[in-house]
Amino acid sequence: MELSAHEIEFRRQRLAHLETLKAAGHRPYGRAFARTGPLADVRAGFAEGQAVRIAGRVAAVREMGKSIFAHVQDGTGKFQIYVQKNALGEASFAAFKAVDLGDFIGVEGELFTTRTGEPSVKVQQWELLAKALHPLPEKWHGLQDTEVRYRQRYLDLIANPDVRQVFNIRSRLLSFIRRFLEERGFFEVETPVLQAMAGGAIATPFQTFYNALGQPMYMRIAPELFLKRLLVGGYDKVFELGKNFRNEGLDRSHNPEFTSLEIYEAYGDMGTMMHLVEDLVSAAAQELYGTMRVGKAGQEPIDLTPPWRVVPYHDVVCERAGADWFQRPVAAAREWARAQGLDIPDNLNHAQVTHEVYDKLVEKTLWQPTFVTRLPAELVPLAKRCEDDPALVDVFELVVRGRELAPGYTELNDPLDQRARLAEQAAGDAAKIDEDFLRALEHGMPPAGGMGIGIDRLVMVLTGEESIRDVMLFPQMKNREPKPDEKPPEE
RNA sequence: GGAGGCGUAGCUCAGUUGGAAGAGCAACUGACUCUUAAUCAGUGGGUCGUGGGUUCGAGCCCCUCCGCCUCUACCA
């Protein structure tokens, strides 16, 4: 990339400072530095006059002639240091003036409190740990440009402390989920991401090629079919926490690569799963926030206190479209839907019109956690039919903030029905039927409840973030096309 | 895929009717031994996303392309 005159000048200055520091005996990029502890711990254990060693990135410098105040920042917070000429000596103090914003330094000194009451370190010795050759983003407004924030997330993390909070929550959530499930006897497993056939959901997979085997491969779109093989194999309670990949568009609730939690429990059903997810999510909120009411200030809070509302698909559609909805002729249904502003082609049958109504008019109004149950069978090929109505399946969709958060099923364990429904879905293309999975089912899979929950969307619910990109450290971004006269240099 | 918005200094942003490219922070020089958005004085820094067009003259108007954001569509 071409550098502007300003960038060239900036780099020249920083390299000159680096030379100054080297001449003063500093290593430009240091080795391990034994710290008293992270900055938050030093602050928590503050004792006047105590000797400490701390390290971090220089986040602010205020020079005042023969003394300098600065802040260093690490993963836990910031801490002020006080650098005095008569404490360091002429040479060391002069060298410190070549320290730039963004550099990493380690200091040794003693704790004291300034006149304004700020805990600080009076520096006796310091060393350079790493020189930064680029400027930090502006300190007051932070880094606003969304593109830079996502493409260079490290700058976002340095400049915008709130961003770090979101990812701390995400990390603690994952840890909590593992603890919660393990305490209940679930076993964490890992199943293939690279698959010869991508099943378990309806989605376009990413395709790749395995050279050694000479065969096409796919990135998984769901772990479901492998987890069910484990039920066949005798694992009663399993879960997998991992990435799925779907070759689709991206928007603020979809990233092509996303994290899901899938859970299966033998001898259970969808009701088992409803209780489990209710307990899991409400306990997570309690653990992470100390309350079950979550969301950003200014948003309508989400109340995760159990029990959550349970409503059949039939009823929730009738609430919006009228009690006689399912008795109306399809033409009348289409007409009503169009009057509501939906785009309904003439070839949609009644069930399809109903689903449009649910998708476009109902789901987005379900703000507080709601289990929508008893969905039409054709929407869900891997779930068991309801005992009292074979046209419906025994599933729930958990909807929060108008968005689907988690589906759960009473899993289909009848291999003959499963074959028929996969065949219907494959529409005559035998290559799309996972025979290996069907063979496993034919060996007998215990009745089971299963569910999947989108971790990214769960983090969105908990943190109140509106975009999936704000809960993923490195969201998918489009490549910037190099200009024709600016080909990457060959090396 | 479609519609709209945005792209100006390292960062955050102004830029009037088409008429000499600006501010704050950051940087540099100097002063200052309790500052914390330090202060004060001074200096440097621009391919106005890209390529073309209209015009005497374009940051501004028109077209192409690139990227980001929002909506929409596809997709569960």
Side-chain angles (χ1 to χ4, degrees):
Chain A
M1 215 176 83
E2 261 179 86
L3 297 178
S4 70
H6 179 263
E7 285 172 304
I8 292 167
E9 172 61 14
F10 195 93
R11 197 180 180 81
R12 193 194 61 72
Q13 286 164 0
R14 292 241 166 178
L15 290 171
H17 282 166
L18 182 54
E19 289 308 316
T20 303
L21 290 165
K22 280 194 318 203
H26 286 274
R27 283 185 296 206
Y29 294 94
R31 304 279 178 138
F33 182 85
R35 298 177 297 165
T36 302
L39 297 178
D41 291 6
V42 171
R43 184 178 301 280
F46 181 88
E48 199 76 32
Q50 185 198 341
V52 292
R53 287 166 63 85
I54 63 171
R57 190 188 283 279
V58 176
V61 176
R62 294 174 294 280
E63 249 185 86
M64 301 192 42
K66 297 184 178 63
S67 72
I68 300 170
F69 284 94
H71 273 101
V72 293
Q73 177 179 348
D74 73 4
T76 66
K78 293 182 180 180
F79 209 90
Q80 182 168 267
I81 63 173
Y82 184 43
V83 183
Q84 286 172 295
K85 189 171 187 175
N86 60 8
L88 284 186
E90 191 86 30
S92 176
F93 185 78
F96 192 88
K97 292 194 170 184
V99 171
D100 295 307
L101 283 187
D103 293 355
F104 281 92
I105 60 170
V107 311
E108 185 176 324
E110 74 181 36
L111 293 172
F112 76 109
T113 308
T114 63
R115 234 171 252 169
T116 51
E118 177 157 352
S120 306
V121 174
K122 195 170 290 181
V123 178
Q124 283 143 3
Q125 279 180 22
W126 68 276
E127 65 185 83
L128 182 67
L129 300 178
K131 194 93 187 91
L133 300 179
H134 292 280
L136 287 178
E138 198 238 20
K139 62 184 171 189
W140 189 240
H141 298 91
L143 182 63
Q144 299 297 325
D145 187 315
T146 49
E147 188 173 352
V148 178
R149 288 186 47 222
Y150 298 147
R151 287 187 194 275
Q152 294 178 269
R153 179 69 90 179
Y154 47 90
L155 293 180
D156 191 27
L157 290 166
I158 294 166
N160 301 323
D162 292 353
V163 170
R164 202 183 171 96
Q165 280 309 310
V166 172
F167 295 105
N168 288 352
I169 289 287
R170 182 175 179 128
S171 169
R172 291 173 56 205
L173 174 67
L174 292 173
S175 159
F176 177 81
I177 288 170
R178 289 197 161 94
R179 235 178 311 140
F180 181 96
L181 291 173
E182 279 158 15
E183 277 168 11
R184 280 160 186 74
F186 286 87
F187 194 79
E188 181 171 7
V189 296
E190 292 174 279
T191 66
V193 168
L194 205 54
Q195 304 181 347
M197 175 173 286
I202 304 167
T204 309
F206 285 94
Q207 187 170 0
T208 182
F209 190 82
Y210 191 167
N211 293 341
L213 300 187
Q215 69 177 45
M217 299 290 285
Y218 300 90
M219 309 291 283
R220 74 173 170 200
I221 55 176
E224 172 156 355
L225 302 187
F226 282 93
L227 294 173
K228 285 179 171 173
R229 284 169 169 90
L230 294 178
L231 293 179
V232 171
Y235 279 104
D236 294 338
K237 297 168 97 174
V238 294
F239 73 97
E240 178 163 11
L241 204 42
K243 290 278 182 77
N244 295 324
F245 306 85
R246 298 188 182 176
N247 206 337
E248 294 162 1
L250 62 168
D251 59 38
R252 56 188 212 150
S253 60
H254 294 82
N255 194 74
E257 164 178 353
F258 62 97
T259 302
S260 75
L261 167 67
E262 284 208 7
I263 308 175
Y264 290 86
E265 178 167 350
Y267 316 114
D269 64 7
M270 109 191 193
T272 319
M273 289 294 123
M274 284 164 68
H275 286 119
L276 185 68
V277 69
E278 209 172 58
D279 289 348
L280 172 63
V281 172
S282 57
Q286 188 68 46
E287 163 87 5
L288 299 175
Y289 291 102
T291 171
M292 293 187 186
R293 289 168 68 86
V294 298
K296 277 189 178 172
Q299 286 176 339
E300 184 185 335
I302 303 296
D303 188 352
L304 296 169
T305 309
W308 297 341
R309 183 185 180 207
V310 181
V311 59
Y313 181 79
H314 176 281
D315 296 10
V316 83
V317 170
C318 287
E319 274 177 19
R320 181 69 174 82
D324 65 335
W325 172 260
F326 289 91
Q327 280 74 54
R328 284 182 218 167
V330 62
R334 283 195 205 113
E335 197 180 325
W336 183 88
R338 283 174 189 144
Q340 300 294 311
L342 299 185
D343 183 22
I344 307 288
D346 281 330
N347 59 0
L348 290 196
N349 63 32
H350 198 290
Q352 290 165 326
V353 177
T354 302
H355 199 60
E356 274 296 298
V357 169
Y358 172 76
D359 226 24
K360 301 282 156 51
L361 302 179
V362 175
E363 196 175 70
K364 64 183 54 165
T365 67
L366 301 175
W367 208 252
Q368 298 299 328
T370 304
F371 290 113
V372 178
T373 60
R374 297 169 69 85
L375 269 65
E378 59 266 30
L379 295 176
V380 191
L382 294 164
K384 196 165 237 178
R385 296 175 198 273
C386 295
E387 289 198 89
D388 59 352
D389 188 346
L392 303 178
V393 283
D394 222 5
V395 306
F396 67 79
E397 274 192 1
L398 172 59
V399 182
V400 186
R401 249 166 74 171
R403 213 175 274 136
E404 185 190 330
L405 182 63
Y409 306 167
T410 296
E411 299 296 342
L412 178 59
N413 66 339
D414 176 344
L416 305 177
D417 190 9
Q418 179 70 88
R419 176 178 293 279
R421 285 157 70 179
L422 286 181
E424 190 187 338
Q425 193 191 310
D429 187 350
K432 288 184 176 168
I433 297 179
D434 191 336
E435 286 296 337
D436 187 68
F437 168 66
L438 287 173
R439 186 184 316 120
L441 272 196
E442 288 173 4
H443 281 279
M445 185 181 93
M451 59 157 287
I453 182 164
I455 294 297
D456 312 287
R457 290 184 183 181
L458 177 57
V459 176
M460 289 168 71
V461 168
L462 291 173
T463 60
E465 291 297 335
E466 308 272 4
S467 171
I468 200 166
R469 296 175 200 114
D470 290 320
V471 300
M472 311 185 96
L473 282 168
F474 298 101
Q476 185 62 46
M477 299 295 271
K478 198 165 177 176
N479 272 343
R480 276 184 176 280
E481 218 173 40
K483 283 182 283 183
D485 59 338
E486 196 186 73
K487 297 239 172 62
E490 281 127 273
E491 298 185 23

